[in-house]
Amino acid sequence: MEKVWRWVKPFVEIFMTVCIISLLVALATSIPFFRSLQGFYLFLEKLIQIANGFLHMDTLTVQIGESRTEHFLYIISEYYPYSLIILFSAFCVSFFIAASLSYIYFILPKKIKKWISSLLFFIQSIPDVVFIFAIQLSIIWIFKQTGWLIIDPIAGMDKVYVLPILTLSILPSIFLFQTMILAVSEEYKKPYVELARAKGLSKHHIWFHHLFRNVVVHVVSNMQYYFWFMLSNLLVLEFLFNMRGFMAFLRMQLHQADIVAISLTFLFLPFYLIDWLSKRVVFIMTGEKDVSG
Amino acid sequence: MIRLFCNRLFLFGITLIGGLLVISFLYSYYLKEIIPTPEFMLYDDNNRLIDKAPYPPSWQHPFGVDRYGEDVFWKVVDGAKYTIAIALVVSIFRVLLGTLSGIVYAFYLSRFRTLVDAVIRAYRFIPIIFLTLLFLVPLQLAALETGSGKTSMPLQMVILIVAALPILTGLIGNEISVFLKNEFIDCSRLLGAGNLHLLRKHVIPYLRPRLLLYVVQQTVQTLLLLVHLGVLGVLVGGIKEVVKGDIFKPEKAVLSLSNEWSGLIGLSYRELMLDQWIVLGPCIAFSVSIFAFNLIAKGIEQVLSERKYVTFHELHSNTQSDWNDKQPFDFIHKKDVRQYESSSL
């Protein structure tokens, strides 16, 4: 029974979450009419529309712009991978930056450490929007001064990758860095590090062979929070960079209850998978049920 | 509470916010009449037109002057009270309701945990900015259709509050359920304490100092949310559409009814490529106030961690006392340690 439940549970959870998402979307699209009973009927109507959408996903069409109508699945296949690629590569970049920064931090003297952490504390307070403005403006400024356009700051018809990925990875890499530093300083007090140091192993060796692996576990167990944070930023990023991504598409379709609900489900599924996988990985790596507590 | 005010970070943060608020109120009641509005057009000595608003930042106008001939700096100062008040009210209600529902979640809903977790998960995977957008955009459209443009502010605030509630409930609920696993809680239960007693004597005293921290953290979250909403053109407090410019080239612009910062950001974004400095003011204002609130949060954290809660494990891992009755000892086969030290150096 226990074993069956373990395999059925994810599906039950997914089903329930999708139901909640649908309810929310139906409520949101009918909220201005809730002054009278009409709002309630509209709410039910929207729910039925969403359910229909889920059942007949292959025939669902989306209107884009004034005159273009496309199949929903085709649109998804166009926008969805693009946004996911941006998101995941931004995460990888920020993980890489955070890991290398925390290694440098680890070998630095104490005085500079304090300096860096207070600097990061300040940078952390700056909203990501400001970073985007600053990057766009500075690229334009360089262009005006030298006539050299490094990267086109605003996407046209083609897809841009480098700039959005870099911009999206700034704040997560700071957060990741701080998590890593915290985890390192916690790990550093543990007896196995003390033993390794007593054996005369170098700082470098301890970092790569012992500390880093254990720190990764911390990061993996908190991965979903970073993605949640990055998703919020992605929406604004796609708007400001004029990207033709999934979130920008969703923003244009806010009034279409069925499309919003299905798209949100699409957004939810990979992250549920990541969440589930990260829990499994942490379990296999450490044998602990849940590190984050 | 007194210890909080001895903390440097907390004090600095709260003076920043307090100062901003005081100047903001002073401005709208008192300074507004005194400070001269910038000239819409600038003439030189020969009465020739040399410049027209918007002007770039200068010593006179630190954040520049916008297209409509208003000083951005004073606009930002004027907006401070609205923005900070919105953020504070939203976060206080979030934490209050979140604590209540967190208590219910930890004490009574343990049987329905799969259901409650499904709700929390649904919220956790939809970015909060998208969730608020989903609710606020239809409201704003409906308001524009009726012509007034005034969306009911309480309703918007309720949406901002509720959007974060499930996650906060999960957070606080989990903290309470971890706290309830302490051994003294078991003892208390064995002695016949009911849920209400536990709540009054243990949980609330434990949570009380943390609530302030949550409020400050939520304020930062709300401010960030307001920035994003502002960029996407959804303004709390309603918008009005006005037609500016001359008759031949009418220009439709959306204006914030108050000088609320997110409104300032969103409305000036269109002008980013033309007059870069207009967006500068509200951006700096947001960064500074988020920084101040972060400082306050860090100060509270420091004060909280200074307070020593000795847990059961800490009490018993301290085995120093067991050694007190042992006699001092010495090794029998000793080598000269100094010899090793010098060789290793």
Side-chain angles (χ1 to χ4, degrees):
Chain A
M1 192 62 201
E2 188 88 340
K3 206 158 192 180
V4 174
W5 176 238
R6 218 176 75 194
W7 289 108
V8 174
K9 199 182 165 203
F11 295 102
V12 175
E13 282 184 348
I14 289 174
F15 178 73
M16 276 159 82
T17 313
V18 170
C19 286
I20 302 279
I21 289 176
S22 311
L23 277 174
L24 272 176
V25 173
L27 186 64
T29 40
S30 57
I31 204 164
F33 305 97
F34 252 87
R35 295 222 171 77
S36 57
L37 207 62
Q38 188 203 349
F40 185 67
Y41 292 134
L42 194 69
F43 173 69
L44 290 182
E45 214 172 274
K46 295 275 181 191
L47 267 186
I48 294 168
Q49 190 190 350
I50 292 170
N52 261 329
F54 270 110
L55 291 177
H56 309 286
M57 216 187 291
D58 46 338
T59 55
L60 208 59
T61 53
V62 186
Q63 194 177 7
I64 298 169
E66 297 272 300
S67 53
R68 209 174 133 213
T69 312
E70 291 278 5
H71 269 290
F72 176 66
L73 287 178
Y74 170 72
I75 291 290
I76 287 272
S77 67
E78 193 178 339
Y79 292 124
Y80 188 56
Y82 178 46
S83 286
L84 279 194
I85 287 172
I86 297 272
L87 204 65
F88 281 96
S89 26
F91 183 77
C92 293
V93 168
S94 54
F95 181 79
F96 182 73
I97 293 175
S100 36
L101 268 183
S102 50
Y103 174 64
I104 296 170
Y105 182 87
F106 182 65
I107 50 177
L108 278 178
K110 218 172 198 169
K111 211 172 179 184
I112 305 177
K113 274 185 187 175
K114 215 173 169 187
W115 213 80
I116 289 180
S117 50
S118 48
L119 180 73
L120 281 183
F121 182 70
F122 180 71
I123 294 179
Q124 204 189 352
S125 308
I126 300 173
D128 57 330
V129 174
V130 179
F131 282 116
I132 300 175
F133 287 156
I135 288 174
Q136 285 184 335
L137 285 180
S138 54
I139 285 176
I140 286 170
W141 186 78
I142 292 172
F143 178 64
K144 271 184 183 166
Q145 297 294 318
T146 63
W148 176 46
L149 195 62
I150 308 171
I151 305 165
D152 201 355
I154 290 179
M157 293 310 275
D158 49 341
K159 292 174 175 175
V160 285
Y161 286 97
V162 180
L163 210 55
I165 290 174
L166 286 182
T167 322
L168 191 60
S169 62
I170 295 175
L171 281 180
S173 52
I174 295 175
F175 287 131
L176 269 174
F177 173 71
Q178 281 171 337
T179 321
M180 282 185 180
I181 289 300
L182 206 70
V184 165
S185 55
E186 257 172 38
E187 288 288 322
Y188 207 67
K189 288 177 201 147
K190 287 189 176 167
Y192 73 91
V193 176
E194 214 169 321
L195 179 72
R197 276 171 58 194
K199 274 172 74 180
L201 297 178
S202 69
K203 254 189 169 180
H204 180 84
H205 183 92
I206 295 176
W207 171 265
F208 279 104
H209 288 253
H210 302 290
L211 274 181
F212 188 65
R213 291 181 195 180
N214 291 335
V215 166
V216 168
V217 174
H218 272 266
V219 173
V220 168
S221 66
N222 288 321
M223 209 151 75
Q224 30 155 331
Y225 297 105
Y226 300 111
F227 276 115
W228 187 65
F229 171 75
M230 284 165 81
L231 267 179
S232 278
N233 292 357
L234 187 66
L235 177 67
V236 179
L237 189 91
E238 285 187 0
F239 173 65
L240 288 185
F241 275 108
N242 198 19
M243 286 153 62
R244 292 148 56 80
F246 192 61
M247 302 301 274
F249 160 73
L250 260 181
R251 204 178 81 84
M252 301 317 292
Q253 302 291 335
L254 274 180
H255 51 282
Q256 291 273 20
D258 44 356
I259 288 167
V260 171
I262 297 172
S263 309
L264 284 179
T265 308
F266 265 96
L267 211 57
F268 156 72
L269 282 177
F271 295 106
Y272 183 79
L273 200 70
I274 289 171
D275 190 21
W276 188 79
L277 269 180
S278 69
K279 273 196 181 123
R280 294 297 304 167
V281 167
V282 168
F283 180 68
I284 291 166
M285 276 171 83
T286 63
E288 287 173 46
K289 198 85 192 170
D290 196 2
V291 178
S292 58
Chain B
M1 207 61 198
I2 297 163
R3 272 222 307 259
L4 262 183
F5 284 97
C6 296
N7 187 291
R8 252 188 317 161
L9 296 178
F10 180 83
L11 210 59
F12 186 63
I14 210 138
T15 4
L16 254 176
I17 295 293
L20 203 57
L21 282 178
V22 167
I23 296 176
S24 178
F25 276 108
L26 272 184
Y27 175 76
S28 55
Y29 289 115
Y30 185 65
L31 290 176
K32 208 174 200 166
E33 280 88 49
I34 299 175
I35 293 166
T37 48
E39 305 289 326
F40 192 65
M41 295 180 182
L42 281 185
Y43 299 94
D44 65 356
D45 297 336
N46 303 331
N47 277 337
R48 258 190 322 194
L49 185 68
I50 49 170
D51 204 359
K52 175 177 173 291
Y55 315 125
S58 59
W59 283 113
Q60 240 174 334
H61 312 294
F63 291 159
V65 175
D66 72 359
R67 183 173 294 261
Y68 312 119
E70 286 177 82
D71 191 333
V72 179
F73 177 75
W74 290 110
K75 262 179 128 174
V76 166
V77 167
D78 186 36
K81 53 180 173 292
Y82 301 111
T83 311
I84 293 177
I86 289 172
L88 277 177
V89 168
V90 166
S91 60
I92 286 171
F93 272 101
R94 273 183 187 179
V95 172
L96 278 183
L97 296 177
T99 315
L100 280 183
S101 49
I103 287 169
V104 173
Y105 172 74
F107 274 104
Y108 302 107
L109 287 185
S110 43
R111 249 175 258 160
F112 307 100
R113 193 148 277 186
T114 22
L115 185 68
V116 179
D117 282 346
V119 177
I120 293 175
R121 199 174 314 108
Y123 275 81
R124 217 174 50 197
F125 286 101
I126 308 174
I128 189 161
I129 167 78
F130 194 82
L131 197 68
T132 43
L133 215 59
L134 202 61
F135 280 90
L136 288 177
V137 165
L139 279 180
Q140 187 159 315
L141 283 180
L144 279 180
E145 267 166 21
T146 56
S148 71
K150 246 196 155 85
T151 332
S152 77
M153 188 125 138
L155 193 56
Q156 285 178 320
M157 301 273 260
V158 166
I159 289 168
L160 287 183
I161 292 165
V162 173
L165 213 52
I167 294 175
L168 207 59
T169 303
L171 192 82
I172 297 178
N174 274 335
E175 185 146 356
I176 294 175
S177 29
V178 168
F179 176 75
L180 285 179
K181 285 193 185 114
N182 272 319
E183 270 134 3
F184 56 84
I185 298 288
D186 287 339
C187 292
S188 198
R189 273 194 203 281
L190 280 177
L191 288 171
N195 278 340
L196 217 60
H197 181 85
L198 282 182
L199 195 66
R200 233 180 32 189
K201 293 285 175 189
H202 294 292
V203 174
I204 288 182
Y206 168 77
L207 275 183
R208 208 183 290 136
R210 275 164 187 71
L211 291 186
L212 191 60
L213 182 64
Y214 289 143
V215 168
V216 178
Q217 283 169 347
Q218 287 301 315
T219 311
V220 173
Q221 299 292 325
T222 316
L223 282 175
L224 284 174
L225 189 63
L226 283 177
V227 180
H228 285 176
L229 283 177
V231 168
L232 296 174
V234 177
L235 310 184
V236 176
I239 56 172
K240 66 178 173 195
E241 265 183 337
V242 288
V243 181
K244 288 255 173 179
D246 39 41
I247 313 160
F248 303 109
K249 216 177 68 186
E251 224 180 289
K252 228 179 183 185
V254 194
L255 279 188
S256 164
L257 288 179
S258 60
N259 281 329
E260 199 259 316
W261 292 345
S262 57
L264 291 181
I265 282 200
L267 306 178
S268 55
Y269 173 67
R270 286 183 319 121
E271 310 198 358
L272 182 66
M273 298 305 155
L274 304 171
D275 317 310
Q276 289 89 348
W277 60 86
I278 291 174
V279 84
L280 187 77
C283 280
I284 290 179
F286 262 117
S287 307
V288 166
S289 49
I290 290 175
F291 180 61
F293 277 114
N294 273 338
L295 277 181
I296 293 176
K298 200 163 190 188
I300 296 173
E301 264 173 12
Q302 278 179 1
V303 171
L304 275 183
S305 64
E306 274 166 24
R307 189 184 294 184
K308 267 274 172 279
Y309 292 105
V310 182
T311 62
F312 184 78
H313 288 285
E314 277 170 355
L315 206 66
H316 285 260
S317 65
N318 195 355
T319 46
Q320 203 79 42
S321 55
D322 298 348
W323 295 356
N324 279 348
D325 50 343
K326 300 280 189 298
Q327 296 296 320
F329 69 97
D330 209 348
F331 292 113
I332 304 169
H333 303 290
K334 272 196 295 189
K335 283 180 182 168
D336 195 359
V337 187
R338 270 167 296 175
Q339 165 194 332
Y340 286 101
E341 276 178 356
S342 59
S343 69
S344 70
L345 282 172

